[in-house]
Each structure stands twice: as C-alpha cells, then as structure tokens.
Amino acid sequence: MINEQLAGVWTYRSFLNVPEEVGDFNKIKFGEGELVFEMKSEPGTIRGQLAFRSEKPDPKDARLFIYGYIEKSNFRFQGTGVKKTDAEDWVYDYNGEITPNWIDGTEKKTIMTGTVIRSVPHDGKPAGVVGSFIAVKREFLEPSQVIPLPENVLSMLSTRMHRLHHSVWHSVRDRWTRLDETKKNEIRKRGWQPGEIDDERPSITPYEDPIVLNGSGEDFLFMHRKMIMHVNSMMTEPIKGWSVIPAPGPYLIEPKFDNGNISVFPPGNPNGFTVPPLWITGNEEFDRRNAQLKSDGHYWSRMKWWDRKFKNPQYLATLTLYELGSLIEWSVHNDMHIRWASVPSDKDLVPIPTGRDERDINALKWDRTSYDFLGDTYSAHVNPVFWRLHGWVDDRINDWFEAHETVHKGQIERIQIDGVPWFKSDKWVLNDRPWDGPVHSHSDEHSIAQMEELNEIIYGVKPQSFELDQHRSVPPLTWF
C-alpha cells in the first residue's frame, strides 16, 4: 500500500531546524526540488530521483539517485549524487512517513514528512547537518483516465507499425539536413527520403529554423489529416478537435456534492485538458521552455493570439497551403505538444524525466498502450489530447480554403488523394502528391523491419540492443 502512495512525483522542501522565529523561509531553506518515486520496485524497497535546480553560475543540475526500504509505515532512503551533475559528490539520508489525513479536511493532499542528514561533506559544507523535510504529492489525472480512447483505437495506435511510422516520418524530415550523405543514401535506398528523390522536402534547416517555402508544410497537414480520418473511421462518433485552444483552468463543470458541500472545481483533471505539472529533466533549455509553455502567461500572450491569427480570414487568404502548414507546425502546434505533456514513464510506470532515448525502440519497454507521452513522436498519437490539438490544426485547413474562396473564388480546386479531401496543385498549393511515407510503409511486416533499420541508420543503435542507463542525461525530444 505504501509503495502505491509513494509512487509518483512530489514537490520536496527541506529546512534547517532553527528554533528562533525567522519570518522568511529562505533563511532556513535547506533544499527545494522534485522527488520522483518509481511505481514498481523490489518488495519492501523504493527507488527514484531527487532533482534540484542548481544555483551555481554554470549549472549542470543537481540530482540524487534514491534507493531505500520500507518498514511498516516508515521508510528510509539514501540519495547519492548522479555523476556529471553538480550533486555527484553528495550523499544524504532520509527518514520519513506518510502523514495521516484529517477525516474532515478539505482539499486533501498526500503529504510525507521526515528528517534528512548530510552524510558526507561536499562543496565546503560539513557532514552531520540535520534538517526536516515536507513533500507534497502532485495529484493529476492523465487524459487517458478522463477521456480515454476506445480500446480498438488505442490498440491500433499502440502497435509497432503505427508507432514506427509516425516516429520515422518525423525523424527523416526533421533531421534530413543534419544527416550525412551516407545516411541519406541508405534512407533513399529504402524510399524513405522526405518527398521524391528529385524533390526532397526537409522541414527545418541545420539550425532548426522552419523551412516554409518547400512544401513540407503541406506534407505535415496531409499526413495528419490522413491519420485523423483513419482514427475517425473506427469511431462511433468522430473525435472533435478543439474549437478554441483551452484556456488555463480551473474549468467550471457540473457541480459535485461531497458531504453536502458543493465543489465546482474538482481536483485532478476534470475535462482532460488541464495543463499537467512541471517536472525537472536536468536539461536547462528544455526545463526553461517547459516552464514557459505551461505558464498562464504563455497562453494569454502567445497561444490565444495564435488561435485568433490562424482563424483570421484576411490573414489566411494571403498564405499558400505550404506556408500555412509550416507556420502552424513550428509555432502553436509544437507548443501545444509540450504544454500538455506529462512526465513520461517506462514499462513499469517508472517516471523517466528525460524521456525515452530516441535510439531506444525496444518493444517490451515502449509499445504498451499506457506509453502516450506527448513529447515523443513514438507515443504522442496514443494520447487522447493529440487528436484534440491535431483536430484544431486540421480545422485551420478548412478555414484557409474558405478564406481563399471569399477572396480568390475558384482559384483552388478540391480533389481527393488516397481518399483524403485535398487540393489540386496550383498557385496556392505546391505539391501534386503530399508525402506521408512510402506507400508500403503502412501495411506489412517487412515495413516494420525496414523502419527499425531506418531508426538504426538515423540514431545508430539496433532496436532490441539498447539498455537504458539509470544515470543517463539525454535531452528529451522537443519537436514533432
């Protein structure tokens, strides 16, 4: 029972045991960070990670590897520094317990309290210093628990075929300009270059600037429209995209009654669209970006503006289809993926703050239906939020066409490509055939083996040979 209570992400705060009144918490602050406990470990044991934001001028982050054991309602664990971080010489020991809840309390949280001792000296600080700690568990219901996809759809999207196709498609077009010619030629041999041999269409430059004018934006819009149609064909009712990008919560929903009290803002994630809590990866650039994108300010200053901008008919009527696709992909679309992403976890529901290594496509680890991290192209499409945000993107295609019909009536001709409603190549549409991968890539076992080869070509590790290092620090995927 206590394993289940401990498992998850906690906000950790420790303080020095000073008996005098201080008035300012910072005067007795011992440490503040993020504590992550694994869902499954050996019976009676606990494992995890405690991460702090480093205060050094040139920070490498500060992380402790946690290992300990449980005795009835108490637990003890030791934190040892992770190599190549600012905490690599640290050793701290902890003794704590889960604090009982008040029966009549409101807004109940799961709390742990205890004491901590610096077991060895480091950075000029002496051993033996004792403090107290409080940790508050972050309660959050994942979208899959609130707005789950139907079992048949979830099973289909979780297959290796669909995971690899979505991942490899993004990988080759997003990394094409950074691959050497040897790798490019191996990819061309398998027909997986982004676009046609005489019309290769990478999506970004070596400096990760979006390429707006080469037609890659049309590929992005077409491939995802085709995915949406496939999923909706399996649904009793199609999944509707967001009509408006959701504003920050809390969300007013039907009141709930608890012991006679009305609660209109239930905790957790009442409609599936609450922005998940932050987590620390140790990659400073990503952590700063994640914090910014999840903030209320980013919604009101950028996302709300994009929501209006990409619906404005006067603006849309000035854009080609390929401009529309690239501009959306590399702005609001990418930001939505990160904003609604939760901390990823592996096959044992162990939180992996840095995410799946892009080289690692071990089916036993990552092909389960519960792996639906929105920050990874191997898993994003398994998350129910994916279909709401991509539905929003897809609706902008219709807005674009209607805007042109008003301003440039008859200049854009509707056609179908592979049963997908699309547009004939002309002044406003560049490609005769948008690229969504080789024709055979959607169908047989051979294509699975081929896509595994492509992953090895791009990243350099065979699919079943990659062993995850507990102490690794790999930057998470930050594009889609």
Side-chain angles (χ1 to χ4, degrees), residues 234-297:
M234 301 175 66
M235 302 282 291
T236 304
E237 293 185 9
I239 300 177
K240 293 183 179 179
W242 288 326
S243 57
V244 177
I245 299 173
Y251 300 91
L252 181 63
I253 64 172
E254 182 180 354
K256 306 250 182 218
F257 293 86
D258 182 15
N259 295 328
N261 298 318
I262 299 178
S263 172
V264 293
F265 300 128
N269 189 359
N271 65 355
F273 306 142
T274 300
V275 175
L278 282 169
W279 73 95
I280 300 171
T281 68
N283 180 287
E284 184 179 9
E285 181 180 352
F286 179 84
D287 288 346
R288 286 178 178 270
R289 181 187 177 204
N290 195 13
Q292 174 65 20
L293 296 188
K294 284 178 164 54
S295 70
D296 288 3

Side-chain angles (χ1 to χ4, degrees), residues 49 89 168 175 201 239 253 267 331 402 444 456:
Q49 171 185 276
D89 298 323
V168 171
R175 290 162 174 76
R201 299 191 289 271
I239 300 177
I253 64 172
S331 61
E402 293 300 329
D444 54 34
E456 182 182 349

